[in-house]
Structure formats: C-alpha cells, structure tokens
Amino acid sequence: MSSKKIVAKFGGSSVKDCKSMERCAQIVSADSEINLVIVSATYNITNEVEEIYNSALNGKNKHASIVLDSIKEKHLDMAGELIGGSEIKFFLKEVIEEGQQILSDLIRTPDENLKLLDQLYGIGERLSSRLFYQVLKEKLGPEKEVIYFDARQVLKTDSSWSKANPCIKDICSLSEKYLSKYIQENNIIVTQGFI
C-alpha cells in the first residue's frame, strides 16, 4: 500500500451538474492515491450569492428571494437524479434554510455586512460538496468508504470579513484532531475549500 496522498480540487464548472460530477467521480475512482476531494460551489452559484447580497443591500428583497429559490431548485433537481436523493434533499433544504435566515438578517439590517456575505458564500460549497459526496458514493459502492467532512471544523481565520487570513496553527491543530483520523487508504473525504 502506498503512503502517498493526493488532494483533488474540482472547480465550479467541473461540478456544474450531475453529469459533470460523474466525470469528476470517474477521475477520483481511477486514482487510488486520491484521498481528499475539495469541491467548489456549482457553476455560477458564487455570482448568484453576490447577486442575493447586493439585491438585499439595495432593497430588492423579492429579487434576492427569487435568486435563492433558483439555487434551491437547481440543487434539489440535481439530488433528484441521484439514487440517495431523498436523504440528500433533507440536508440541502437545511442548508438553504440557513441561507434564507441569512437573507432575512440582511433584509432586517440592510447595511453592508461582510460577515453575512461570507456565510452566504459557504452555502454554495456546502450544497455542491454534499451532492458530490453522494455521486462519488454511488460510483465507488463498497469499494471505498466516502466521508463527507464539514471543513468549518478545521478552517479557522481571523475576523477580517471578506479578506480573512487563515490561522495556520489552529488549522493544523484542528486538522490533526478532526481530520487526520479519516486519512486512511480506504477512505475518500469530500469537503469544501473556499468556505
């Protein structure tokens, strides 16, 4: 068994829909040394999140809600294409509810709030990584265990919202505590990065 580990990172256009995610899963399944997979938000979601934020700041609350609803529908439709879609839909709806709460907070206090923007940005990756986790799980079957890992357990930054600096010592310590136990030959971890 090789001790070499490879981290694979797939950007938004690579995970734009289920077919694209299946191609990424094929890449992962073809390389036994890939152990950690980092997934971006699906294509254009980051732009749509910025549109939600800017709409809320400018009093265009209905438009912001419509864009958030379209994000929800896109991801729920993708989940519907998967075998384990009903289980995933529950998770996706919880994440979208968080997005709706953030939007409500923005509407109540329509001043620039970069902390809320950063929280909104994380929604996209959490949705796509959960979908990719399921795609990969279906692709690999019992061959390897696929683990969904919430990067917020280990990624820590200072409070410079929208320009945060990583707290490397904390990240290393938390990774050792929460992530290293999953870094094994038969595991593939799916997580987020930009979050």
Side-chain angles (χ1 to χ4, degrees):
M1 282 197 283
S2 170
S3 62
K4 185 177 174 185
K5 305 290 181 192
I6 294 177
V7 176
K9 166 68 167 72
F10 296 106
S13 57
S14 299
V15 292
K16 68 181 178 181
D17 53 32
C18 284
K19 288 229 180 295
S20 300
M21 287 188 178
E22 286 166 11
R23 285 192 292 273
C24 294
Q26 179 62 40
I27 292 167
V28 173
S29 68
D31 191 335
S32 62
E33 294 179 337
I34 294 176
N35 183 248
L36 180 64
V37 180
I38 298 171
V39 182
S40 290
T42 57
Y43 180 75
N44 207 39
I45 294 298
T46 301
N47 293 336
E48 290 180 12
V49 163
E50 288 173 353
E51 188 177 344
I52 291 167
Y53 179 77
N54 290 324
S55 294
L57 288 185
N58 292 308
K60 298 176 182 174
N61 302 336
K62 185 173 182 181
H63 179 72
S65 292
I66 289 169
V67 175
L68 185 58
D69 283 344
S70 76
I71 291 172
K72 174 184 176 181
E73 290 310 311
K74 174 183 179 169
H75 289 86
L76 290 177
D77 287 349
M78 288 174 70
E81 295 180 40
L82 304 173
I83 295 167
S86 57
E87 177 189 323
I88 291 174
K89 282 182 180 181
F90 179 78
F91 175 89
L92 297 179
K93 286 177 183 175
E94 282 188 338
V95 174
I96 290 293
E97 283 173 18
E98 285 181 44
Q100 290 166 332
Q101 182 57 57
I102 294 167
L103 177 55
S104 294
D105 293 345
L106 279 169
I107 289 169
R108 266 197 318 277
T109 57
D111 299 323
E112 185 174 71
N113 188 327
L114 297 176
K115 181 178 181 179
L116 290 177
L117 175 60
D118 285 352
Q119 290 173 341
L120 266 178
Y121 275 138
I123 298 288
E125 280 196 343
R126 290 168 60 206
L127 294 170
S128 65
S129 60
R130 188 64 172 86
L131 285 164
F132 185 76
Y133 157 81
Q134 186 64 34
V135 169
L136 189 57
K137 203 169 135 179
E138 290 175 13
K139 173 77 180 157
L140 293 174
E143 184 182 324
K144 280 194 177 188
E145 184 176 2
V146 181
I147 297 164
Y148 177 82
F149 186 81
D150 189 334
R152 294 174 300 169
Q153 290 184 72
V154 297
L155 290 182
K156 299 299 173 194
T157 67
D158 63 18
S159 296
S160 303
W161 306 115
S162 86
K163 297 176 186 149
N165 298 298
C167 300
I168 300 297
K169 269 180 120 174
D170 292 338
I171 292 170
C172 289
S173 173
L174 291 166
S175 294
E176 185 63 37
K177 182 176 181 180
Y178 295 112
L179 189 56
S180 65
K181 62 185 172 186
Y182 297 122
I183 308 288
Q184 300 170 8
E185 287 294 327
N186 283 332
N187 290 343
I188 297 180
I189 300 140
V190 176
T191 193
Q192 313 80 38
F194 182 66
I195 200 166

